[in-house]
Amino acid sequence: MGLDPVEMTKEFVDVKSVSRWSNAAISDLVEDRMKACGLEVERLSYEDENGELKVSLVGRKGEGEGGLAFLSHTDTVPGQEQDWDAYHGVVDGDRLLGRGSCDMKGPLACTMIAVAKVDADQLKKPLIVVATADEEVGGGGAHQVATESGIMSALRPDYGVVAEPTSLTPVYAHKGAAHVVVTAHGRAAHTSTGLGESANFKIAPFLAEMAELSERIKEDERYRNAEFNPPSNGFNMVITDYDTKQNVSAARSTCHVCFRTMPDDHSEVLVKELVSKAESYGFEVSSTISRPFYADPSSPIVQLASEVTGGKRPETVPYGTDAPHFREQLDMVVLGPGSIERAHTVGEYVEIPQLYEAVDIYSRMIHEVCL
């Protein structure tokens, strides 16, 4: 194995690792490459709700406590392979194409190569490379690493770099997400009989309340944060009656209300309000909420990221990462090659010059923190 980020990224892209299925195959390859990079590897696993084996890896180099952790994930969104050759890493000019090349197998490869370039005997503080499962579908792997990893617990790293694609601009904060699912139940029957009870009619008053609420939320300062673009929470609603035909009363109608959580907003209050409204109608309701990420822009790790990227000003982004799962353990910054605009798209790619630049940037961070 050569220490080349393009070749390693291509290797990783060639292994399909969509979140719906087990990521054991890509984890086996990443573990092998971690060991070749001089890392001692801890392997954590669980079965997801579909019975699929999910694997997360924690690699360690060096002795002692503290140091620097690089955090990435190995799962991807679906490849849309009917529209392109998603699982074959291809170089096209200064781009490397393939599902996950940008989000985030390319960034993962860069962290591993930067760590590989350092002799363990030179390290004054240890290095950690993490590759989690299921970042794209709830962060189960990150949660397991944060709560169960022996290496993370023993080393207690000082700082972390979440290597998600940021076009190599330091990111100090990102939004989280809230999701409320409301279901009304009716009785299916052919409309000619008059015996049915439409779940769509039952849920309609709640939908009207959501439409009114969406307008109020746009201007409510409790749900805005000027540090983000856009500063609003993206309150949204989608509905389904499960393809009920027009001459049948709907037996079931479900409304999904989603919005982005932000630091110091009132998202938990809003979720409780939505749940209370749904319950007042007697509907079935469930809710989830994931926290946003926020680091003080003046913190040492954010300032170091700014310094090693040529003085780039730290920014915020509207998308999420694994960072919230680790924020109780270490100070972090989000910083990686590739543009989030290319992630999850047909023709996803990462700019090859950014891969090499990322290795250099991560190497400089290692030098400042661990050497």
Side-chain angles (χ1 to χ4, degrees):
M1 179 204 70
L3 295 180
D4 182 82
V6 174
E7 293 306 312
M8 188 180 288
T9 301
K10 287 171 63 179
E11 278 192 300
F12 293 168
V13 167
D14 286 350
V15 180
K16 185 176 181 178
S17 55
V18 176
S19 306
R20 171 60 181 83
W21 312 107
S22 174
N23 73 328
I26 185 63
S27 296
D28 290 345
L29 175 60
V30 172
E31 180 176 5
D32 181 70
R33 297 298 178 258
M34 280 186 173
K35 290 178 177 177
C37 290
L39 291 153
E40 167 196 340
V41 182
E42 173 187 31
R43 191 177 177 104
L44 302 170
S45 63
Y46 64 94
E47 277 194 6
D48 69 9
E49 60 185 10
N50 299 308
E52 296 289 341
L53 175 66
K54 297 302 176 71
V55 179
S56 296
L57 306 171
V58 183
R60 165 185 178 163
K61 193 172 196 178
E63 302 298 326
E65 294 184 355
L68 181 63
F70 292 102
L71 308 165
S72 302
H73 63 86
T74 55
D75 64 313
T76 74
V77 297
Q80 300 164 274
E81 54 262 44
Q82 70 275 11
D83 297 320
W84 65 308
D85 192 3
Y87 306 111
H88 182 206
V90 174
V91 172
D92 181 11
D94 64 354
R95 299 173 176 179
L96 172 54
L97 287 77
R99 174 61 80 229
S101 57
C102 172
D103 185 15
M104 60 178 307
K105 293 176 177 181
L108 170 61
C110 293
T111 67
M112 292 168 58
I113 291 171
V115 169
K117 290 179 176 291
V118 182
D119 190 326
D121 294 335
Q122 296 177 321
L123 290 170
K124 296 178 182 178
K125 291 186 177 182
L127 288 166
I128 295 175
V129 176
V130 175
T132 64
D134 282 354
E135 188 273 344
E136 301 288 0
V137 290
H143 176 75
Q144 185 178 37
V145 170
T147 57
E148 298 180 21
S149 169
I151 288 178
M152 290 288 283
S153 176
L155 270 59
R156 292 178 293 182
D158 300 308
Y159 304 116
V161 178
V162 181
E164 289 276 6
T166 67
S167 297
L168 293 176
T169 296
V171 166
Y172 69 89
H174 67 63
K175 298 180 181 182
H179 190 196
V180 179
V181 184
V182 179
T183 300
H185 293 277
R187 183 171 59 252
H190 195 281
T191 53
S192 66
T193 69
L195 299 175
E197 186 178 17
S198 174
N200 288 336
F201 289 152
K202 281 189 171 183
I203 206 171
F206 177 79
L207 302 182
E209 285 200 62
M210 293 301 99
E212 181 180 343
L213 183 62
S214 69
E215 293 303 313
R216 173 164 60 84
I217 284 174
K218 290 177 183 178
E219 305 303 326
D220 193 328
E221 291 300 322
R222 294 178 301 167
Y223 309 118
R224 296 174 65 85
N225 187 317
E227 290 184 83
F228 290 89
N229 182 22
S232 53
N233 70 1
F235 190 88
N236 189 42
M237 178 179 71
V238 296
I239 58 176
T240 178
D241 64 2
Y242 305 90
D243 295 323
T244 301
K245 303 304 179 184
Q246 68 270 19
N247 59 352
V248 177
S249 55
R252 183 170 49 135
S253 185
T254 297
C255 164
H256 295 254
V257 180
C258 307
F259 61 91
R260 299 279 181 173
T261 63
M262 292 179 283
D264 301 321
D265 69 3
H266 292 72
S267 291
E268 292 185 359
V269 174
L270 181 55
V271 168
K272 289 181 180 178
E273 179 181 351
L274 298 176
V275 170
S276 178
K277 285 181 181 294
E279 289 178 340
S280 72
Y281 286 99
F283 297 151
E284 178 184 324
V285 58
S286 64
S287 65
T288 59
I289 187 167
S290 63
R291 299 177 296 175
F293 164 68
Y294 186 89
D296 187 334
S298 65
S299 69
I301 188 61
V302 176
Q303 288 301 301
L304 175 59
S306 179
E307 177 185 333
V308 298
T309 55
K312 287 184 179 179
R313 184 177 180 178
E315 298 179 353
T316 66
V317 293
Y319 56 86
T321 76
D322 272 340
H325 295 281
F326 297 101
R327 69 177 184 177
E328 303 300 328
Q329 296 177 295
L330 68 168
D331 293 329
M332 289 173 291
V333 66
V334 184
L335 177 67
S339 168
I340 195 65
E341 294 179 359
R342 303 278 73 81
H344 301 191
T345 63
V346 172
E348 176 180 347
Y349 68 84
V350 63
E351 298 89 343
I352 290 173
Q354 282 203 14
L355 292 177
Y356 289 106
E357 186 179 357
V359 173
D360 180 61
I361 286 171
Y362 296 150
S363 296
R364 292 174 65 191
M365 298 182 85
I366 292 169
H367 183 272
E368 292 297 324
V369 176
C370 300
L371 294 178

